[in-house]
Amino acid sequence: MALINPHINFNGNAEEAFTFYKSVFGGEFAKIIRFKDLSSPEFTVSESEANKIMHIALPIGVNILIGNDIPEFMGKVSENENRSKISIIAQSREEADKIFVGLSAGGTIEMPMSDSPWGSYFGMFRDKYGIEWMVDFDTTKA
């Protein structure tokens, strides 16, 4: 079966954001490519863009969270728009709480972790980088 891996765009702070995500989820980056790594006579990279992230990948379970910085010539990402949410399915209440508390630090909680009417332990927030997350634990399978 195919896997779905979220890909997030940033305005120059992808490495900072992914370092934060790594501090919550653990693990190691599978890959980090900077724009300077792709520089060639055919693809010149300005000094201001050289160290920005062209591709970063953090394995989380069987999925991979992927991100990059948008090059200046492509414009800015609207960090206040409603992006698609990243949904995390936790394996326990404890894991759900740990992820929620960790990722929501410095962000805006839209719905605190609580028992939902549909039978799960659920919460929703926008992290300090503007990314929207949902954390869910199916209490009927506990």
Side-chain angles (χ1 to χ4, degrees), residues 14-60:
E15 185 169 16
E16 175 188 336
F18 269 70
T19 299
F20 172 69
Y21 300 148
K22 180 179 164 188
S23 76
V24 174
F25 290 108
E28 297 298 325
F29 296 125
K31 188 173 283 189
I32 298 176
I33 302 171
R34 297 183 188 282
F35 282 102
K36 68 181 177 186
D37 299 333
L38 304 176
S39 184
S40 69
E42 297 81 34
F43 182 76
T44 58
V45 176
S46 69
E47 293 257 343
S48 64
E49 304 258 293
N51 283 315
K52 289 184 179 177
I53 300 295
M54 186 276 190
H55 177 87
I56 189 166
L58 178 63
I60 302 171

Side-chain angles (χ1 to χ4, degrees), residues 93 114-123 135-140:
R93 278 184 178 269
S114 63
D115 292 318
S116 72
W118 56 87
S120 69
Y121 185 57
F122 179 84
V135 179
D136 187 69
F137 168 62
D138 185 350
T139 57
T140 64

Side-chain angles (χ1 to χ4, degrees), residues 9-135:
N9 296 312
F10 293 88
N11 289 318
N13 60 346
E15 185 169 16
E16 175 188 336
F18 269 70
T19 299
F20 172 69
Y21 300 148
K22 180 179 164 188
S23 76
V24 174
F25 290 108
E28 297 298 325
F29 296 125
K31 188 173 283 189
I32 298 176
I33 302 171
R34 297 183 188 282
F35 282 102
K36 68 181 177 186
D37 299 333
L38 304 176
S39 184
S40 69
E42 297 81 34
F43 182 76
T44 58
V45 176
S46 69
E47 293 257 343
S48 64
E49 304 258 293
N51 283 315
K52 289 184 179 177
I53 300 295
M54 186 276 190
H55 177 87
I56 189 166
L58 178 63
I60 302 171
V62 298
N63 297 309
I64 301 173
L65 182 61
I66 304 165
N68 67 282
D69 289 315
I70 297 296
E72 291 170 7
F73 73 86
M74 292 180 74
K76 293 257 184 210
V77 172
S78 174
E79 293 177 347
N80 293 318
E81 72 183 27
N82 287 325
R83 299 181 190 174
S84 298
K85 292 185 179 346
I86 299 173
S87 178
I88 300 171
I89 307 301
Q91 300 301 308
S92 67
R93 278 184 178 269
E94 295 76 20
E95 183 182 48
D97 286 336
K98 179 182 178 201
I99 291 169
F100 187 91
V101 168
L103 288 177
S104 67
T108 304
I109 294 174
E110 297 171 356
M111 181 182 214
M113 291 300 299
S114 63
D115 292 318
S116 72
W118 56 87
S120 69
Y121 185 57
F122 179 84
M124 197 165 51
F125 59 92
R126 182 184 294 259
D127 73 20
K128 62 185 174 183
Y129 300 102
I131 305 302
E132 297 183 69
W133 299 80
M134 297 183 299
V135 179

